[in-house]
């Protein structure tokens, strides 16, 4: 059952472009899918290590900018008169480099931020996101700042002997995004079910205890941050090549909020949570648009979010698992877990 | 409780997917025009003004019998001041609502996000506000812009500049494409006229306190401050400049500065400031199209809108009128015919003749109309056309 | 030199308002462990309330300020009872999400009620500034400076010299022991949130007339308040006060002598620097509040 369900869900989703011909809805699926990937990566931190990072949009944006710049090329002069000129490279390389660069940024941010926990950690990660946004806005020579990077080419895949395939149509982008969702799912699944994953969960449940049995807490947290940032970077890269234009708005705080909503309403610490939460909150705006005035759409969105948290504090997926009697042992809704003080 | 709600949500999601596929099948008794504007988020105020102007135009056209014997219908969608949404909204307007032409999308990043969709579906868009140079120079033949990019404004300023006493100017601009573009283009124009350029300072889009930047400018030896930003920030800026005792001449650019709101909200701080604007509703008889201007202002007042909004909303009015003329010329409400017709469209807008000139790479040029630019001055809480 | 001194005057005035924003948040943060994203919206609420009472109803300006502070207090208590009490004991991210929901609802309700066009409030203060030599400062801002200092002092007195404050400090130190000692935890939480909210509303009421009032002004206020709290340390009113001035100092210096584009980055860079050397904030005394 546990193994079968993801496969059925994958098949069901894969069939969507075959019967859904409306490009607007397909577009909503693709953008929602991209944010689901980002939400899955956030879930790795929030759900499995218990650390709420609001810097995720930074990794998403770094991935988007890296990928676009590798594909478009740039010419900047660094401090000390060193001039760096980069000729455009194949787009798929941009995708790979975006993942690497985001991962490295995840390492740096993780190393710094994991000195603190709780509310401090939340604010520190917001600070990182803001600083990165302001750099993207003001380093005009590299990022074009508010003038935006335009004409970003679609992702292409070189198949030896078969020529190139580019992801231009909505259908192909749908499968591309679905593929990355599936891949991220597999990676996160392998990770959390390994020894490393169990260590992460142990330190989420009780960090002092984990330390006392010899788990190197910061190492595991940083590892989670690296993988998480790399996946978020992949999502950002997909975003850049799908939307074909990026500007510092890619660091909108609203995007972080979207990811957090997807994870928590869907069920943090469950593999399917961000996907279920993502599909619901990705499509609420689409549904609300058809009957409500603009402000009312937002008000409904906010109220619905509060309602879900009130009714299902553990998230939708754990509630369903409990309903069908599968999954982990039932937990008390809103139960207090042993928590760390907010000081290291 | 929990069980029921879960089931309920699944039901909503399912219905949504089904019903969304069914919208947009309305009869072809009307001609639809898509309007893609920010109605929530940071640009909500401006987007709402533009939509109000668009509605006045649509009602006026329909009262006169519509276009091609059919009434026009505005399909207005909120792009939430967010590029992702702007692209999604364009997709919806084109594919679900089947609009043959769009007006939008206010901010430059919003417009740039929509542009690939226009290429994909070959649907034209009349750009009413965005100022980024990239919009008309990136080779998108479905773009027709009626608002001036800062280079056009700067070119118009060239004729006014010698009559003003400017020896050295500092710039204080909003940190986006609009502000940075203005600083660059006006800087070039002024340098060519032997005006020295001092500091170029920026302010964040959402900043409310510019005292630090202004203090820095206060201590320079320049005689003029060139300012580009939206009306709210401008109000704050003028108040703060007065509070800091800055005596320099202030000239604002960009055309949405809305002097009435300034006078109303900045009070004495607005006195003595100059503004470059593309629409002068204070002197309808001096505008290029007095009849239309009077009608527009009359309607604006009748609907109870704030007079101050007129300088922003007239672009929505002009945009829809441009589209209507193009549809009439095309003879049918189809994207390809309208794109072609837009090149031949000529009408008198509220700020001068609207006629598209070719810009951008050959073979896939975008259209750019060249509106008039006025210099106005606020004197004793009144808007005057300065005698130069 | 003149420029430098003018920056310093700006810093003092800006810093007092940052401090006012920060102390409300630091109380809620420190005692309730809630990342209150609705803090900025309470600030906006205070600003619109002054507009409503002073401009639309025509009340005296100073009386309107008082009304706005009381209204903020009431709204805060209401939010606590309706949204936070049922979720007592939930994770920090769950309560944060609820406050984000509240933020989205409040911001768009403001837009729905007041429209997106900014409102301004006129004040009894003269528009011509006070000029001393080369320096210049507006009378209104001078009033805001002293009013903010008075409110900060009042909050300090409340926490350190009253019975309620004592109970709040006890709750901050150890909730369970405080409860055993007969402290009504529910009441303390409600009082904390109400006081924090009224301080945010007070900041909005004071600054609304200085700036213009729009539904989006809360976003930046929230960010600044977060920065102040982290610089000062959780739950420390003294820390948040100094944090407010430090943030203002960094911004003034950043805009004046580095680059105005990075003005808003200064505070956050400072946070990252603080984090490297003193992770608990500059003035955190984790064992006590006040």
């Amino acid at each position: 059952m546990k193994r079968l369900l993801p496969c059925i869900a994958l098949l069901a989703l894969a069939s969507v472009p075959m019967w859904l011909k409306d490009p607007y809805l397909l577009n909503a699926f693709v953008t929602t899918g991209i944010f689901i990937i980002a939400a899955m990566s956030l879930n790795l931190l929030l759900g499995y290590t218990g650390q709420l990072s609001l810097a995720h949009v930074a990794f998403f944006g770094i991935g988007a900018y890296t990928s676009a710049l590798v594909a478009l090329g740039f010419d900047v002069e660094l401090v000390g008169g060193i001039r760096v000129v980069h000729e455009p490279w194949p787009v798929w390389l941009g995708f790979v480099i975006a993942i690497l660069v985001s991962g490295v940024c995840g390492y740096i941010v993780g190393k710094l931020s994991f000195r603190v926990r709780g509310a401090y950690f939340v604010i520190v990660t917001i600070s990182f996101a803001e600083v990165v946004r302001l750099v993207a806005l003001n380093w005009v020579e590299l990022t074009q700042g508010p003038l935006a990077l335009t004409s970003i080419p679609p992702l292409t895949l070189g198949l030896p002997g078969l020529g190139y395939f580019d992801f231009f149509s909505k259908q192909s982008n749908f499968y591309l995004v679905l593929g990355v969702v599936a891949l991220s799912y597999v990676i996160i699944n392998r990770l959390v079910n390994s020894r490393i994953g169990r260590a992460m969960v142990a330190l989420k449940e009780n960090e002092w205890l984990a330390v006392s049995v010899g788990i190197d807490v910061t190492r595991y947290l940083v590892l989670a941050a690296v993988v998480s940032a790399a996946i978020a970077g992949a999502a950002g890269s997909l975003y850049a090549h799908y939307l074909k234009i990026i500007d510092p708005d890619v660091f909108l705080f609203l995007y972080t909020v979207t990811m957090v909503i997807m994870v928590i309403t869907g069920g943090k610490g469950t593999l399917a949570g961000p996907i279920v939460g993502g599909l619901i909150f990705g499509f609420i705006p689409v549904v609300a648009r058809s009957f409500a005035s603009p402000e009312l759409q937002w008000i409904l969105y906010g109220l619905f979010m509060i309602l879900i948290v009130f009714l299902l504090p553990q998230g939708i997926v754990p509630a369903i698992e409990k309903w069908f009697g599968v999954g982990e042992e039932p937990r008390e809704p809103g139960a207090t877990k042993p928590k760390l003080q907010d000081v290291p | 409780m929990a069980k029921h709600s879960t089931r309920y949500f699944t039901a909503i999601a399912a219905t949504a997917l089904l019903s969304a596929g069914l919208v947009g099948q309305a009869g072809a008794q009307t001609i639809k025009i898509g309007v893609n504007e920010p109605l929530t988020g940071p640009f909500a105020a401006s987007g709402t003004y533009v939509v109000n102007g668009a509605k006045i135009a649509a009602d006026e056209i329909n009262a006169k019998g519509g276009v091609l014997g059919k009434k026009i219908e505005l399909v207005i969608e909120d792009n939430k001041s967010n590029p992702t949404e702007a692209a999604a909204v364009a997709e919806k307007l084109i594919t679900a609502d089947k609009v043959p032409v769009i007006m939008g999308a206010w901010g430059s990043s919003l417009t740039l996000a929509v542009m690939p969709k226009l290429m994909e579906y070959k649907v034209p868009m009349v750009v009413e506000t965005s100022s980024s140079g990239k919009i008309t120079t990136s080779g998108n033949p479905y773009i027709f812009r009626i608002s001036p990019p800062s280079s056009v404004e700067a070119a118009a300023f060239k004729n006014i500049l010698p009559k003003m006493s400017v020896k050295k100017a500092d710039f204080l601009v909003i940190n986006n494409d609009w502000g940075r573009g203005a600083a660059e283009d006006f800087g070039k124009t002024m340098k060519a006229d032997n005006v020295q350029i001092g500091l170029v300072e920026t302010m964040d889009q959402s900043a409310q306190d510019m005292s630090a930047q202004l203090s820095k400018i206060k201590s320079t030896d320049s005689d003029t401050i060139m300012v580009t930003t939206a009306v709210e920030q401008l109000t704050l800026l003028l108040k703060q400049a007065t509070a800091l005792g800055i005596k320099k001449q202030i000239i604002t650019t960009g055309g949405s500065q809305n002097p009435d709101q300034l006078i109303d909200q900045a009070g004495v701080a607005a006195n003595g400031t100059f503004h470059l604007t593309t629409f002068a509703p204070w002197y309808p008889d001096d505008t290029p199209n007095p009849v239309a201007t009077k009608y527009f202002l009359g309607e604006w007042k009748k609907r109870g809108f704030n007079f101050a909004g007129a300088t922003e909303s007239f672009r929505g009015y002009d945009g829809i009128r441009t589209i209507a003329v193009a549809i009439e010329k095309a003879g049918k409400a189809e994207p390809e015919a309208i794109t072609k017709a837009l090149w031949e469209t000529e009408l008198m807008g509220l700020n001068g003749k609207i006629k598209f000139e070719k810009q951008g790479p050959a073979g896939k040029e975008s259209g750019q109309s060249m509106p008039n630019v006025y210099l106005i001055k606020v004197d004793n809480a009144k808007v005057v056309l300065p005698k130069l | 030199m003149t420029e430098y001194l003018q920056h310093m005057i700006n810093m003092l005035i800006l810093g007092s308002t940052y401090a006012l924003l920060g102390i409300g948040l630091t109380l809620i943060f420190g005692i309730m462990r809630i990342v209150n994203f609705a803090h900025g919206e309470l600030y906006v609420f205070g600003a619109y309330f002054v507009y409503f009472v002073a401009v639309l109803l025509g009340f005296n300006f100073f009386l309107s300020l008082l009304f706005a502070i009381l209204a903020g207090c009431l709204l805060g208590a209401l939010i606590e009872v309706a949204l936070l009490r049922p979720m007592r004991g939930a994770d920090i991210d769950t309560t944060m999400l609820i406050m984000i929901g509240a933020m989205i609802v409040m911001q768009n309700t403001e837009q729905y009620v007041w429209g997106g066009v900014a409102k301004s409030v006129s004040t009894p203060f003269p528009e011509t500034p006070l000029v001393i030599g080369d320096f210049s400062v507006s009378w209104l801002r001078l009033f805001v400076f002293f009013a903010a200092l008075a409110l900060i002092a009042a909050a300090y007195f409340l926490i350190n010299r009253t019975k309620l404050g004592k109970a709040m400090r006890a709750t901050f130190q150890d909730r369970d022991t405080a409860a055993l000692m007969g402290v009504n935890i529910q009441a303390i939480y409600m009082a904390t949130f109400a006081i924090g909210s009224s301080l945010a509303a007070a900041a909005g009421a004071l600054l609304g007339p200085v700036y213009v009032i729009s539904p989006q002004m809360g976003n930046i206020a929230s960010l600044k308040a977060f920065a102040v709290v982290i610089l000062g340390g959780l739950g420390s009113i003294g820390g948040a006060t100094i944090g407010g001035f430090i943030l203002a100092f960094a911004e003034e210096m950043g805009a004046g002598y580095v680059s105005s584009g990075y003005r808003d980055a200064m505070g956050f860079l400072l946070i990252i620097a603080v984090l490297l050397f003193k992770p608990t904030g500059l003035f955190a005394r984790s064992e006590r509040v006040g």
Side-chain angles (χ1 to χ4, degrees):
Chain A
M1 185 70 182
K2 276 229 112 177
R3 278 179 160 279
L4 205 59
L5 214 56
C7 296
I8 296 173
L10 184 65
L11 279 178
L13 282 170
S15 78
V16 166
M18 293 165 197
W19 49 266
L20 186 74
K21 293 296 172 206
D22 185 330
Y24 170 54
L25 288 180
L26 262 185
N27 173 64
F29 263 110
V30 175
T31 45
T32 302
I34 290 171
F35 280 101
I36 285 177
I37 298 167
M40 286 168 79
S41 73
L42 176 66
N43 186 33
L44 181 59
L45 268 188
L46 174 56
Y48 291 98
T49 71
Q51 302 302 319
L52 175 54
S53 155
L54 294 186
H56 246 64
V57 78
F59 304 127
F60 182 79
I62 288 170
Y65 266 103
T66 309
S67 192
L69 284 170
V70 168
L72 291 171
F74 56 85
D75 176 356
V76 286
E77 204 170 299
L78 299 175
V79 203
I82 308 160
R83 194 147 159 262
V84 181
V85 184
H86 167 71
E87 295 297 328
W89 278 355
V91 185
W92 64 268
L93 258 176
F95 182 68
V96 175
I97 294 174
I99 293 172
L100 294 178
V101 170
S102 301
V104 171
C105 293
Y107 177 81
I108 298 166
V109 172
K111 267 283 185 199
L112 289 176
S113 318
F114 284 125
R115 292 157 166 254
V116 288
R117 298 282 188 275
Y120 277 106
F121 182 81
V122 174
I123 307 302
V124 164
T125 52
I126 294 181
S127 309
F128 273 112
E130 269 302 293
V131 169
V132 173
R133 181 183 77 85
L134 287 162
V135 169
L137 186 65
N138 289 297
W139 195 359
V140 178
E141 211 187 353
L142 178 69
T143 64
Q144 303 262 317
L147 305 176
L149 288 173
T150 51
S151 316
I152 301 169
L155 257 179
T156 46
L157 209 57
L159 303 171
L162 287 169
Y164 278 89
F165 179 72
D166 71 17
F167 291 92
F168 190 81
S169 73
K170 252 164 274 316
Q171 280 79 9
S172 59
N173 268 295
F174 181 94
Y175 287 114
L176 175 68
V177 169
L178 186 63
V180 179
V181 169
L183 197 64
S184 309
Y185 185 94
V186 170
I187 292 172
I188 295 173
N189 189 18
R190 292 292 291 264
L191 189 68
V192 298
N193 286 319
S194 68
R195 217 179 62 87
I196 298 168
R198 282 191 293 275
M200 285 176 188
V201 175
L203 65 90
K204 179 181 102 175
E205 298 297 336
N206 191 336
E207 187 165 340
W208 294 138
L209 196 66
V211 171
S212 68
V213 298
I215 295 175
D216 182 354
V217 172
T218 311
R219 210 182 111 225
Y220 285 111
L221 286 179
V222 171
L223 181 72
V226 170
V227 177
S228 172
I231 296 175
S237 169
L238 292 176
Y239 176 85
H241 295 290
Y242 180 68
L243 207 66
K244 300 186 183 67
I245 154 214
I246 46 167
D247 75 342
D249 274 355
V250 69
F251 297 102
L252 276 181
F253 181 62
L254 189 72
Y255 290 164
T256 308
V257 170
T258 310
M259 296 172 204
V260 175
I261 292 170
M262 289 174 169
V263 173
I264 295 184
T265 55
K268 58 183 170 172
T270 61
L271 284 164
I275 303 176
V276 174
L279 283 174
I280 292 175
F281 278 88
F283 278 91
I284 284 181
V286 176
V287 178
R289 197 185 275 287
S290 59
F291 65 88
S293 73
E295 294 93 354
L296 199 60
Q297 290 173 27
W298 278 112
I299 294 173
L300 288 174
Y301 187 88
L303 287 177
F304 194 65
M305 197 171 112
I306 295 176
L307 198 71
I308 287 200
V309 177
F310 262 62
L311 296 179
L312 310 167
Q314 296 295 334
I316 296 164
V317 170
I320 294 175
E321 280 177 349
K322 209 165 100 184
W323 192 6
F324 287 109
V326 294
E328 302 128 86
E329 72 279 15
R331 281 174 285 186
E332 276 294 303
T336 335
K337 278 195 269 353
K339 253 181 299 178
L340 275 180
Q341 284 295 312
D342 287 324
V343 284
Chain B
M1 188 70 184
K3 287 182 187 179
H4 285 294
S5 45
T6 323
R7 236 184 241 147
Y8 182 58
F9 298 146
T10 333
I12 289 187
T15 342
L17 288 180
L18 290 175
S19 63
L22 298 174
V23 280
Q25 308 294 331
Q29 292 314 301
T30 57
I31 293 177
K32 289 181 174 175
I33 299 174
V35 178
N36 183 346
E37 292 290 329
L39 302 176
T40 57
F43 312 132
S46 303
T48 309
Y49 279 150
V50 170
V51 165
N52 286 339
K55 282 180 182 163
I56 292 178
D59 291 346
E60 182 188 10
I61 292 161
N62 285 338
K64 289 180 185 163
V67 175
L68 302 177
K70 290 178 182 172
K71 298 232 181 279
I72 60 171
E73 179 194 345
L74 300 183
V75 186
I76 299 162
E77 287 291 352
D78 171 24
N79 63 33
K80 305 184 183 175
S81 309
N82 168 336
T84 321
E85 282 290 326
V89 161
E91 189 114 40
K92 173 188 179 283
L93 288 171
I94 296 168
T95 63
D97 299 317
K98 309 257 185 285
V99 302
V101 53
I102 300 176
M103 181 178 81
W106 203 77
S108 293
S109 67
L110 305 172
T111 303
L112 287 167
V114 170
M115 283 165 59
K117 299 286 175 197
L118 305 177
M119 292 286 260
E120 187 176 345
Y121 296 104
K122 302 188 172 25
V123 170
M125 176 158 92
V126 170
V127 178
E128 87 297 341
T129 303
S130 318
S131 65
S132 168
K134 278 188 180 174
I135 289 171
T136 46
T137 54
S138 62
N140 187 323
Y142 301 98
I143 286 289
F144 295 87
R145 172 154 68 177
I146 60 170
S147 57
S150 37
S151 57
V152 172
E153 242 192 299
F157 185 60
K158 202 173 173 54
N159 305 325
I160 304 170
L161 186 60
K163 298 172 207 154
M164 300 182 78
S165 52
V166 182
K167 289 204 173 54
K168 185 173 178 185
D170 292 325
F171 282 83
L172 180 53
V173 297
I174 185 168
N175 197 356
N176 62 18
D177 62 285
W178 181 34
R180 288 202 183 246
E184 193 170 310
D185 289 322
F186 278 85
K188 261 187 237 158
T189 306
M190 293 169 82
K191 251 186 216 151
D193 230 27
N194 290 323
V195 175
Q196 270 184 290
I197 303 298
L199 298 171
V200 178
E201 295 293 320
T202 62
M203 49 200 163
D204 198 76
Q205 208 152 278
S206 57
Q208 290 208 307
D209 194 296
M210 280 71 70
S211 301
Q213 288 94 325
L214 286 168
S215 299
K216 195 173 173 185
I217 289 175
K218 183 187 176 185
S219 63
T220 67
D221 60 346
S222 66
D223 50 29
T224 300
I225 312 174
M226 300 290 297
V227 180
T228 307
T229 184
V231 63
E232 270 94 21
Q233 206 165 34
L234 196 56
T235 312
L236 296 173
L237 195 144
L238 293 182
K239 275 192 191 175
Q240 290 163 15
T242 308
L244 288 170
I246 292 177
K247 298 276 189 296
K248 300 176 186 193
Q249 173 171 261
I250 294 178
I251 304 174
T252 78
T253 83
S256 74
Q257 46 304 63
N258 212 327
D260 290 281
Q261 195 172 340
L262 283 182
I263 292 167
D264 189 36
Q265 300 193 338
V268 295
N271 278 347
T273 53
F274 290 91
H275 308 273
L276 283 171
T277 174
T278 48
F279 179 48
W282 310 274
Y283 300 95
D285 288 326
D286 289 341
T287 60
N289 192 346
V291 182
T293 305
K294 278 180 188 157
Y295 173 81
F296 172 70
L297 291 176
E299 274 297 309
W300 188 258
K301 210 173 275 173
K302 207 157 76 194
R303 295 178 187 213
F305 297 138
N306 184 352
F307 181 70
T311 47
E312 181 98 55
S313 65
F314 86 91
R315 287 186 253 110
Y317 178 78
D318 271 357
I320 295 299
R321 290 204 319 151
T322 308
I323 289 174
V325 171
I327 295 174
E328 192 79 59
K329 195 163 244 126
K332 53 187 170 183
E334 279 166 20
E336 206 188 327
I338 296 175
T339 311
K340 222 164 159 193
L342 274 165
W343 284 115
E344 292 146 26
T345 297
E346 216 182 304
L347 72 154
M348 201 39 115
L350 296 188
N351 67 341
K353 195 157 73 173
I354 295 175
K355 185 178 186 313
F356 296 103
E357 290 171 20
K358 291 193 169 183
Q359 273 193 359
K364 38 184 182 175
E365 295 99 338
S366 309
Q368 170 73 55
S369 174
M370 301 290 174
N372 288 354
V373 177
Y374 304 88
L375 181 75
I376 53 169
K377 187 181 180 187
V378 176
D379 229 353
N380 285 323
K382 278 218 165 53
V383 175
V384 295
L385 293 167
K387 299 265 175 299
L388 294 171
Chain C
M1 196 58 199
T2 318
E3 187 192 345
Y4 179 74
L5 286 174
Q6 183 75 57
H7 279 307
M8 287 301 105
I9 294 171
N10 297 347
M11 180 275 280
L12 283 177
I13 289 175
L14 194 62
S16 67
T17 59
Y18 283 171
L20 192 57
L21 267 173
I23 54 172
L25 192 65
T26 206
L27 282 179
I28 294 171
F29 238 158
I31 295 176
M32 303 174 73
R33 301 282 138 150
I34 282 169
V35 185
N36 183 14
F37 272 100
H39 200 69
E41 298 315 312
L42 282 150
Y43 165 83
V44 183
F45 173 80
Y48 272 118
F49 203 86
V50 163
Y51 172 77
F52 178 68
V53 176
V55 177
L56 298 188
L57 299 184
F59 274 84
N60 176 282
F61 174 69
F62 301 100
L63 212 55
S64 312
L65 293 182
L66 202 65
F67 283 152
I69 295 172
L70 291 176
C73 194
L74 279 177
L75 182 64
L78 194 72
I79 291 175
E80 206 284 325
V81 173
L83 295 181
L84 292 172
R85 185 163 293 181
M87 299 304 291
R88 194 83 77 227
D91 294 343
I92 186 168
D93 39 292
T94 310
T95 52
M96 188 194 82
L97 195 62
I98 289 182
M99 295 325 285
I100 290 179
M103 173 189 87
I104 293 175
V105 171
M106 285 173 78
Q107 193 173 103
N108 286 283
T109 308
E110 285 145 15
Q111 170 139 1
Y112 194 71
V113 174
W114 301 108
V117 183
K119 310 277 186 212
S120 70
V121 179
S122 57
T123 65
F125 295 97
E127 289 194 58
T128 42
L130 169 69
V131 182
I132 306 161
D134 280 339
F135 312 109
S136 168
V137 59
S138 90
W139 288 99
L140 175 61
R141 288 191 165 214
L142 216 52
F143 164 71
V144 168
F145 175 69
F146 286 112
L149 289 190
L151 282 166
I152 293 167
Y156 194 81
F157 178 80
L158 183 78
I159 300 295
N160 285 302
R161 297 277 184 278
T162 64
K163 223 179 143 198
L164 174 66
K166 203 171 183 181
M168 282 166 74
R169 280 181 287 145
T171 312
F172 175 76
Q173 269 181 21
D174 188 338
R175 192 182 72 180
D176 298 336
T177 315
L180 284 175
M181 295 299 177
V183 172
N184 182 347
I185 299 294
Q186 298 288 33
I188 292 301
Y189 277 177
M190 190 170 87
T192 306
F193 204 85
I195 293 169
S197 301
S198 71
L199 287 169
L206 286 170
L207 287 181
V210 173
Y211 302 133
V212 288
I213 308 167
S214 73
Q216 269 77 37
M217 69 194 268
N219 298 347
I220 189 109
S222 278
L223 269 182
K224 302 281 180 202
F226 283 143
V228 168
V229 169
I230 287 296
L231 287 172
L234 291 192
S236 159
I237 289 187
T241 309
I242 301 169
F245 287 105
I246 292 177
L247 179 66
F249 180 76
E251 286 189 7
E252 281 289 332
M253 289 298 113
Y257 300 103
V258 186
S259 154
S260 48
Y262 286 101
R263 174 183 176 154
D264 292 305
M266 290 303 155
F268 299 111
L269 287 172
L270 205 60
I271 288 178
I272 294 169
V274 165
L275 184 73
L276 281 172
F277 301 108
K278 197 165 184 314
T280 45
L282 290 175
F283 307 99
R285 284 169 298 174
S286 55
E287 75 280 9
R288 54 172 294 197
V289 61

